[in-house]
Amino acid sequence: MGALGRALLWLQLCAMTRAAYKLWVPNTNFEVTTNWSQNRTPCAGAAVVFPADKMVSVLVREGHSISDMLLPRDGEFVLDSGAGFGAADSGRDPDCGAAAPALFLDPDRFSWHDPRLWRSGGAARGLFSVDAERVPCRHDDVVFPPDASFRVGLGPGVGPVRVRSVWALGQTFTRDEDLAAFLASPAGRLRFHGPGALSVGAEACADPSGCVCGNAEVQPWICAALLRPLGGRCPPAACRDALRPEGQCCDLCGAIVSLTHGPTFDIERYRTRLLRGFLPQYQGLQMAVSKVPRQNAGAEADTEIQVVLAETGPGGTGGAGRLARALLADVAEHGEGLGVLFAAVRESGAPVGDGSAAGLEGSGMRAGLAGGVAAGLLLLLLALLAGALLLRGARSFRWSRRDEAAPAPFVAPLGFSNPVFDVAGSVEPPSAPQVENSSVSRSYFVNPLFAEAEA
């Protein structure tokens, strides 16, 4: 059985054990245009230059005619059948002209912590992962391409990168002793580098309610790698009061549903329920469902299920908020059967540029003092009217268990501002991007243990 066949067999075993797996995407193949300067492979008769102070393994699939080659400090060519190098017999390719030497790009540019360099196995249409979970989690199996050469930087060494298993060069590593011997070998040193450590041996997630990814400690480096092409800064969100889900590097527009679950909750069953029964009814949305640490330190449980509904269309359509409220209604009706004990929702605000507040502010500045006073009075009047309407239109709910007497009425507002949701994440080291999270969102709560609404 070839390396590709063994890789496919390993992926099938992962699926049978319900283990998630991540696939490494980039490679250092000779024929891949993105590995070369000017985004093209060397022309016939060109000079080829590898970084002199680097180590690299390069897979060569074809035959190439070159004029000369500068090799790296340490490395190897893995030659496919019929591949090789020869001296150019008829000068340069006329289509290339008198071009500069073809430069092989820095093979150390690929980082384990870069979410763009991984692909999740078995990802369904409409689903996405928050940034920290796009990088292998501690319960994941990691697969490196069986038909490509590669090189991976293991990061700054703040702690060992720990996963369930690693599949590379036709071998499966599930014990630290075997993996350490491979990493210290010439083949391992050509493919893995940096001060970081790689460790295996974690068990597959056996909890039906899901497992926390475990990348919170390295999230600053994940975000730094993700935002490096953007100068380390998040792009502005296209809505007011944007949200920052747990594990996400930047704010987004949409809604977050937080679920407190009981022992019968099954995250795969719930994800399938949302993917088949709810998400197709709403256009321009993507969904992420995972278990995350609970941010409310006073809560009884230390984890919760986070459902992120992200608006993908320009300006947003409001579909995320509608879907979030539909999920609340579903929890109120079927929460006991789903194993959901409590649900809460946060929504982002209106799209940037929508509404009249910004226009009123701009015209007031142009109109001078008199216009500013008039605009201020108008806004104050509108605020008072809106407050009166909200108070008048506020609804109270009461639910009771069907098999118990109804408790005394408890009136709760439909929404309120919870400062716990606005607390930024853990303190990040200096190398991580510093992005202010100024989310001021609307929150809604529903308890499915109670089933009847007050008339």
Side-chain angles (χ1 to χ4, degrees), residues 167-326:
W167 193 98
L169 300 186
Q171 302 179 71
T172 301
F173 301 98
T174 57
R175 300 193 315 155
D176 276 337
E177 296 82 358
D178 298 333
L179 179 60
F182 167 72
L183 295 177
S185 69
R189 287 187 288 107
L190 286 175
R191 289 162 177 83
F192 297 91
H193 70 97
L198 181 58
S199 175
V200 295
E203 296 295 328
C205 180
D207 188 345
S209 67
C211 296
V212 173
C213 176
N215 278 340
E217 184 179 0
V218 296
Q219 184 171 336
W221 284 270
I222 292 174
C223 294
L226 180 66
L227 298 175
R228 188 172 294 115
L230 302 176
R233 295 181 176 273
C234 287
C239 61
R240 299 183 178 91
D241 302 334
L243 303 172
R244 179 78 60 87
E246 179 70 20
Q248 192 74 2
C249 294
C250 299
D251 294 343
L252 54 76
C253 302
I256 301 174
V257 182
S258 301
L259 305 176
T260 301
H261 64 86
T264 61
F265 179 81
D266 188 310
I267 192 170
E268 293 297 335
R269 183 164 63 105
Y270 187 72
R271 183 185 288 116
T272 301
R273 176 184 181 86
L274 302 190
L275 190 61
R276 295 179 179 177
F278 289 88
L279 192 61
Q281 305 175 36
Y282 299 85
Q283 300 297 320
L285 294 182
Q286 284 191 319
M287 178 180 69
V289 183
S290 61
K291 179 181 281 188
V292 299
R294 185 183 293 275
Q295 296 303 302
N296 184 359
E300 182 177 348
D302 57 354
T303 61
E304 63 186 7
I305 305 302
Q306 176 178 259
V307 181
V308 182
L309 306 173
E311 300 270 7
T312 60
T317 61
R322 294 192 297 271
L323 176 53
R325 291 187 286 275

Side-chain angles (χ1 to χ4, degrees), residues 155-174:
V158 292
V161 174
R162 187 164 183 82
V163 294
R164 178 174 180 261
S165 69
V166 171
W167 193 98
L169 300 186
Q171 302 179 71
T172 301
F173 301 98
T174 57

Side-chain angles (χ1 to χ4, degrees), residues 111-128:
S111 169
W112 177 287
H113 293 112
D114 192 338
R116 300 167 300 168
L117 306 184
W118 296 96
R119 187 173 77 245
S120 297
R125 182 180 179 86
L127 291 180
F128 78 100

Side-chain angles (χ1 to χ4, degrees), residues 350-371:
V352 173
D354 185 34
S356 59
L360 285 174
E361 181 180 354
S363 62
M365 292 177 64
R366 289 189 300 267
L369 179 61

